[in-house]
Amino acid sequence: MSTKGFTTTILHGDRQKAIEHGSLSKPIHTSVAFGYTDARQLASVFQGKEPGFRYGRQGNPTVSALEEKITRMEDGHGTICFATGMGAIGALFQGLLRAGDHVVSSAFLFGNTNSLWNTVAGQGVGVSFVDSTDVAQVEAALTPETKLVFVETIANPRTQVADLARIGELCRARGILYVVDNTMTSPYLFRPKAVGAGLVVNALTKSIGGHGDALGGALTDTGVFDWTAFANIYDTYKKNPAKNWGLAQIRAKALRDFGASLAPEAAHTIAVGAETLALRMERASANALALARALEADDRVAAVYYPGLASHPQHALCTQLFKSYGFLLSFELKEGIDCFDYLNRLQIGIPSSNLGDTRTLVIPVAHTIFFEMGAERRASMGIAESLIRVSVGIEDQDDLLADFLGALPA
Ligand SMILES: *Cc1c(COP(=O)(O)O)cnc(C)c1O
């Protein structure tokens, strides 16, 4: 690991080689193809005998600079970027799983990840959804076919926090790949490598890009998992050193074959946004804590869910594992207060479905992002029909508190 601090490391982390033409920020390479003066060199790049780029779908210099930056953020071994966060999660299925395999997933999930696992279940991979705040439930769901365990750090929207370290110990003891979606914490607040995660998912669209202006996703191999224990690696990818097997297979079987490649323009936008991740996370976390405390103290609010509150069931765990408690909170208004009318009275919080933006965004969860799954599954995830999710931004704190408290009915 670098001995330098987080922000110093990521600011300089995309300078893999010499500075190109003096440009300090990594240039946007739009070329899809890469030419070689020696045809033998082209062949040797294709055969993986020397580094180089083949075709834009599998790799691009601008994207690869961002991959290097994210590897450093996660203190990992390597990273592959995808067009979206869902592209990165889908790559787990495309690149690593086969019919008959089994996955244990947290029941508290980003809505589209929940939908993806259900799709996968229809394609021959068994999926068990468990309460990931309790390692005993994860353990009880394991079968001899279980290839990976998947959890989120802070689940959106109800902020349940998986029992991250104990699940990590369980997976290590059983030789099972542990995948942690770090989107809600970001590598600035938490590095899943510390709890034994083998692969880390980041939706770059959210706080790493940070400005709501580019889609992207990443899978980082932390270097912790022993790929020789993973039965699904094809012989072709075993020509690499074992610590590279996972990413080599994912880059070919998922990125190359399914094609959810990150565009160089988006990679550049995300890389610029990433430079201020630490500054934005500190500010948004402080805002979120102040807002959560103010809402909890108000008797027109029925419940507030935020890991920074002493009332949160996993508060102590979060204090131990995370640098601060993040930008995501949710709350329920007292019965009789219409959540749509309330949201319409806000002047700073914008009704919108994104997360991790510089601006504060609000959404009535049951009526939008979690509508398709139906009332029963919502109830099982602890999502009340009146739940409001807030992705807290970096506005001035007084303005934010005045907006959310002022919109409560007298
Ligand atoms: C947004 C999000 C994703 C998916 O990212 P996209 O870039 O929107 O595809 C995955 N996991 C979590 C926790 C997210 O918040």
Side-chain angles (χ1 to χ4, degrees), residues 104-106 108 130-142 149 151 161-174 178 195 314 317:
V104 176
S105 169
S106 172
F108 313 124
V130 299
D131 176 350
S132 58
T133 64
D134 178 7
V135 67
Q137 297 218 21
V138 176
E139 183 163 19
L142 296 178
V149 171
V151 303
V161 176
D163 196 354
L164 291 158
R166 288 201 187 87
I167 299 172
E169 282 162 28
L170 173 69
C171 289
R172 194 187 40 188
R174 302 288 184 90
Y178 183 26
V195 294
Q314 290 93 39
L317 177 73

Side-chain angles (χ1 to χ4, degrees), residues 11 14-15 19-27 275:
L11 281 175
D14 54 3
R15 279 203 260 121
I19 298 176
E20 295 164 50
H21 312 296
S23 52
L24 285 191
S25 93
K26 183 75 185 175
E275 295 183 353

Side-chain angles (χ1 to χ4, degrees), residues 19-319:
I19 298 176
E20 295 164 50
H21 312 296
S23 52
L24 285 191
S25 93
K26 183 75 185 175
I28 304 174
H29 291 269
T30 56
S31 185
V32 168
F34 302 90
Y36 291 85
T37 45
D38 175 356
R40 284 193 186 83
Q41 194 187 1
L42 173 65
S44 121
V45 167
F46 257 79
Q47 291 166 25
K49 290 179 185 149
E50 64 179 293
F53 296 97
R54 307 170 192 188
Y55 181 66
R57 184 164 12 85
Q58 285 125 278
N60 162 289
T62 311
V63 175
S64 122
L66 176 63
E67 290 174 342
E68 180 61 28
K69 216 188 249 292
I70 294 160
T71 299
R72 294 193 192 196
M73 286 181 177
E74 290 288 0
D75 188 29
H77 170 64
T79 296
I80 301 177
C81 282
F82 296 86
T84 63
M86 289 316 301
I89 299 171
L92 296 168
F93 169 62
Q94 296 151 353
L96 297 176
L97 300 175
R98 299 186 191 179
D101 287 342
H102 177 250
V103 170
V104 176
S105 169
S106 172
F108 313 124
L109 285 177
F110 180 64
N112 298 154
T113 306
N114 178 70
S115 171
L116 172 75
W117 286 136
N118 284 322
T119 304
V120 160
Q123 295 177 356
V125 172
V127 182
S128 303
F129 292 105
V130 299
D131 176 350
S132 58
T133 64
D134 178 7
V135 67
Q137 297 218 21
V138 176
E139 183 163 19
L142 296 178
T143 76
E145 275 64 59
T146 305
K147 287 288 182 312
L148 65 89
V149 171
F150 184 94
V151 303
E152 295 179 4
T153 50
I154 302 173
N156 150 32
R158 267 280 269 102
T159 73
Q160 297 96 336
V161 176
D163 196 354
L164 291 158
R166 288 201 187 87
I167 299 172
E169 282 162 28
L170 173 69
C171 289
R172 194 187 40 188
R174 302 288 184 90
I176 293 170
L177 177 62
Y178 183 26
V179 184
V180 176
D181 183 335
N182 198 25
T183 302
M184 283 309 133
T185 23
S186 88
Y188 179 65
L189 296 189
F190 176 61
R191 280 176 169 152
K193 180 182 180 179
V195 294
L199 291 177
V200 179
V201 174
N202 278 292
L204 307 176
T205 315
K206 311 297 171 55
S207 48
I208 291 183
H211 297 73
D213 56 0
L215 289 160
L219 275 183
T220 299
D221 187 327
T222 61
V224 164
F225 184 65
D226 174 13
W227 288 101
T228 62
F230 197 76
N232 290 354
I233 302 293
Y234 294 91
D235 286 341
T236 343
Y237 308 111
K238 291 186 180 168
K239 288 175 205 139
N240 302 290
K243 61 181 182 172
N244 297 337
W245 288 5
L247 287 190
Q249 181 160 313
I250 292 169
R251 194 175 284 280
K253 292 288 162 189
L255 185 68
R256 184 195 65 196
D257 294 359
F258 283 82
S261 313
L262 181 63
E265 292 85 350
H268 175 79
T269 302
I270 291 164
V272 172
E275 295 183 353
T276 55
L277 174 63
L279 304 169
R280 288 181 286 100
M281 284 307 273
E282 275 174 14
R283 171 87 164 211
S285 294
N287 279 350
L289 182 59
L291 182 59
R293 285 182 176 154
L295 290 170
E296 192 176 46
D298 196 298
D299 58 16
R300 292 162 292 185
V301 174
V304 183
Y305 307 103
Y306 184 65
L309 295 175
S311 58
H312 190 282
Q314 290 93 39
H315 176 64
L317 177 73
C318 297
T319 305

